[in-house]
Amino acid sequence: MMKFSARSAGPALKPSLDTPARPAGGRTRQANEARILEAAEAVFAEAGFTGASMQAIAERAGLPKANLHYYFGTKELLYRTLLGRILDMWVDAFDHITPDRDPAEAIAAYITDKMRWSRTRPLASKVFANEVIHGAQQIEGYLSGKLRQIVAEKAAVIDGWVAEGRMAPVDPVHLFFTLWATTQTYADFEVQVRAVLARDRLTESDFDHATDQILRLMLRGCGLEVPHTVPDGR
Amino acid sequence: MMKFSARSAGPALKPSLDTPARPAGGRTRQANEARILEAAEAVFAEAGFTGASMQAIAERAGLPKANLHYYFGTKELLYRTLLGRILDMWVDAFDHITPDRDPAEAIAAYITDKMRWSRTRPLASKVFANEVIHGAQQIEGYLSGKLRQIVAEKAAVIDGWVAEGRMAPVDPVHLFFTLWATTQTYADFEVQVRAVLARDRLTESDFDHATDQILRLMLRGCGLEVPHTVPDGR
DNA sequence: AAAAATTTTGACCAATCGGTCAGGATATAG
DNA sequence: CTATATCCTGACCGATTGGTCAAAATTTTT
């Protein structure tokens, strides 16, 4: 009698997105967990952890509340599972930063990728932002473990570019802080952006223009020029 | 019998910080309201609106819960009063952006000012960030009213600088979005910054270094050079 | 078809929530 | 000193919270 999903505290590894080797759980379980996680993302993004109620998540998922507890045990475990999935997406954009690549193209691809993420998954971004703002108690280990490690690794790449004179001298770590903040603000602070721009919603064209402006500002700030070939994010 | 403070929904005007003309309320009221607001800022920053309990705020202020309701009526009114005070600080930094000033110095002063705000009032920044992330229902009017107006006004100043060829062509509104995000991230996402930098706390020297890096990146991004005279924030 | 495992669900629980209120305590004004 | 306004606070309220559980329904395995 396996009470909770074996994937609840699963590894923070990139899952193979094509035919999964093992669905891990029956079809019913898989489908319901997905529905619950999707509803949870929306409710946690709207109301934060404490503001979100299991009842609200249940209604959004179209399932009775007791069903959520059957699959995830507690509210905290559901929240942690959701956070784990979001963190996996978080680090993917770093793949663009490699020593062999042209600095301008690599950084442009990174920015473009993070902006697309803000446009397509704003709810996930908000859940993450809310978690960090309120102390990041659930992901402390991730921040000072995996994230710190990968930042150090990619910072070394940028330091290499600087040493080779291929870009202006910048502190790569603070550059990352700036890139994260700048791109994610279009998801997390979307309401403020809309209010100032007097838009009732942000269109794809709005995001394209914002991405263009960020690219110019940041690349010029790094002593680089916007590459003519608009880099594809993925 | 004046039940609630007359200042509860007070004007969003800069209060004269020197000898206040009218304390508005007895000494006891003034002192207790200040204690409650200070405690509320900390608790709301830590837990968000729904996560914060009146009981927790009361304990932090060293007062019985019923006392908070005596002064502020409801949790929402207390929250709105706090938000109002924070918003007043928010717009002050815009004062640096004036047509007659040197673009590099003006923008540098703006950045320096907002970074000092992140260092000295991180709790206020978190309360504001949390409010915006979760829909900004309490400050919708402010965002699409006063804020939009002042941004338009200051954007015109920057457009003027661009037209005069005194800086690179940028969309001023998105420049502001970037400056807000970049500076506030050191308050709102402080936990993440600390984790990546492997610091148990951010020192004044950490903030000075961060400010320096942001100045270089942003000013160069605007086609400007960091002014030798480090501009004073106020 | 029988058996075993999994899934579903309403009813229920203790704890906490924001808010109320009466009446005593204290401070201020005349 | 008296009177009036302000301040204080323990006790209490209905509503909502996360979580439990047993028993029925369903699916999967044998």
Side-chain angles (χ1 to χ4, degrees):
Chain A
M1 176 180 62
M2 176 179 66
K3 181 139 195 204
F4 299 144
S5 165
R7 290 182 288 103
S8 287
L13 296 174
K14 217 185 307 181
S16 54
L17 293 178
D18 41 29
T19 45
R22 284 293 174 99
R27 297 187 223 294
T28 311
R29 179 176 212 97
Q30 213 182 0
N32 281 344
E33 284 185 353
R35 288 178 63 185
I36 294 169
L37 282 170
E38 189 183 336
E41 184 175 289
V43 176
F44 281 129
E46 281 176 15
F49 177 76
T50 41
S53 73
M54 294 296 275
Q55 184 63 43
I57 298 172
E59 284 170 10
R60 185 153 194 139
L63 295 170
K65 189 185 68 167
N67 210 318
L68 311 205
H69 284 99
Y70 171 74
Y71 282 113
F72 291 96
T74 69
K75 182 185 179 183
E76 186 178 319
L77 278 174
L78 168 58
Y79 181 64
R80 291 179 67 95
T81 304
L82 175 64
L83 270 179
R85 308 249 176 142
I86 293 173
L87 293 181
D88 286 344
M89 298 174 18
W90 222 89
V91 292
D92 279 359
F94 280 110
D95 292 348
H96 294 292
I97 312 294
T98 54
D100 56 293
R101 206 162 173 191
D102 174 66
E105 282 185 12
I107 295 175
Y110 184 78
I111 291 172
T112 304
D113 223 34
K114 292 232 68 175
M115 281 299 281
R116 173 168 30 239
W117 191 60
S118 281
R119 185 177 67 221
T120 59
R121 296 293 301 274
L123 296 178
S125 185
K126 283 179 180 175
V127 172
F128 175 79
N130 186 75
E131 167 68 13
V132 175
I133 284 180
H134 297 118
Q137 294 180 355
Q138 305 288 347
I139 59 173
E140 211 173 20
Y142 168 86
L143 293 182
S144 54
K146 186 172 182 177
L147 180 63
R148 184 196 296 173
Q149 184 182 351
I150 196 169
V151 167
E153 183 183 318
K154 299 304 181 182
V157 173
I158 294 181
D159 276 330
W161 289 336
V162 171
E164 295 168 5
R166 301 171 71 185
M167 60 183 286
V170 297
D171 184 325
V173 177
H174 289 273
L175 173 62
F176 278 126
F177 292 157
T178 296
L179 295 182
W180 297 342
T182 302
T183 53
Q184 287 169 19
T185 199
Y186 287 90
D188 304 338
F189 287 65
E190 181 224 351
V191 187
Q192 183 176 241
V193 171
R194 279 198 289 106
V196 171
L197 291 180
R199 299 261 197 290
D200 57 344
R201 64 189 180 94
L202 294 183
T203 67
E204 191 160 324
S205 142
D206 288 327
F207 268 92
D208 287 345
H209 176 64
T211 303
D212 183 59
Q213 286 297 315
I214 294 172
L215 284 174
R216 292 174 188 274
L217 193 66
M218 293 299 164
L219 290 178
R220 198 189 295 125
C222 292
L224 300 167
E225 288 186 6
V226 181
H228 284 97
T229 57
V230 177
D232 196 13
R234 188 136 307 268
Chain B
M1 177 179 62
M2 177 178 66
K3 182 141 195 202
F4 299 145
S5 165
R7 290 183 287 105
S8 287
L13 296 174
K14 217 185 306 181
S16 55
L17 293 178
D18 40 27
T19 46
R22 285 292 175 101
R27 296 187 223 294
T28 311
R29 180 177 211 98
Q30 212 183 0
N32 281 343
E33 283 185 352
R35 289 177 64 182
I36 294 169
L37 282 170
E38 189 183 336
E41 182 175 291
V43 175
F44 281 128
E46 281 175 14
F49 177 76
T50 41
S53 71
M54 294 297 273
Q55 184 63 44
I57 298 172
E59 284 170 9
R60 186 153 193 140
L63 295 170
K65 189 185 68 167
N67 209 317
L68 312 204
H69 284 99
Y70 171 73
Y71 283 113
F72 291 96
T74 69
K75 181 185 179 183
E76 186 178 318
L77 278 175
L78 168 58
Y79 181 66
R80 291 179 68 96
T81 303
L82 176 63
L83 270 179
R85 309 247 174 143
I86 293 173
L87 292 181
D88 285 344
M89 299 176 18
W90 222 90
V91 292
D92 279 0
F94 280 110
D95 292 347
H96 294 292
I97 312 294
T98 55
D100 55 293
R101 206 163 172 189
D102 175 66
E105 282 184 13
I107 295 175
Y110 184 79
I111 291 172
T112 304
D113 223 35
K114 293 231 68 174
M115 281 299 281
R116 175 170 25 243
W117 191 60
S118 282
R119 186 177 65 219
T120 58
R121 298 292 303 272
L123 297 177
S125 185
K126 283 179 179 174
V127 171
F128 176 78
N130 185 76
E131 168 67 13
V132 176
I133 285 180
H134 297 118
Q137 294 180 354
Q138 305 288 348
I139 58 173
E140 211 173 21
Y142 168 85
L143 293 183
S144 54
K146 186 173 182 177
L147 180 62
R148 185 197 295 172
Q149 185 183 350
I150 196 168
V151 167
E153 182 184 319
K154 298 304 180 180
V157 173
I158 294 181
D159 276 330
W161 290 337
V162 170
E164 295 167 6
R166 300 171 70 184
M167 60 182 287
V170 298
D171 184 326
V173 176
H174 288 273
L175 174 61
F176 278 127
F177 292 158
T178 297
L179 295 182
W180 298 342
T182 302
T183 53
Q184 288 169 20
T185 199
Y186 287 90
D188 304 338
F189 286 65
E190 181 223 350
V191 186
Q192 183 174 242
V193 171
R194 280 198 288 107
V196 171
L197 292 179
R199 299 261 197 290
D200 56 344
R201 64 189 180 94
L202 294 182
T203 66
E204 192 161 321
S205 141
D206 288 326
F207 268 92
D208 287 344
H209 177 64
T211 303
D212 183 60
Q213 287 297 314
I214 295 171
L215 284 174
R216 291 173 188 273
L217 192 66
M218 292 300 165
L219 290 179
R220 199 188 294 123
C222 291
L224 300 168
E225 287 187 5
V226 180
H228 284 97
T229 57
V230 177
D232 195 13
R234 187 141 306 271

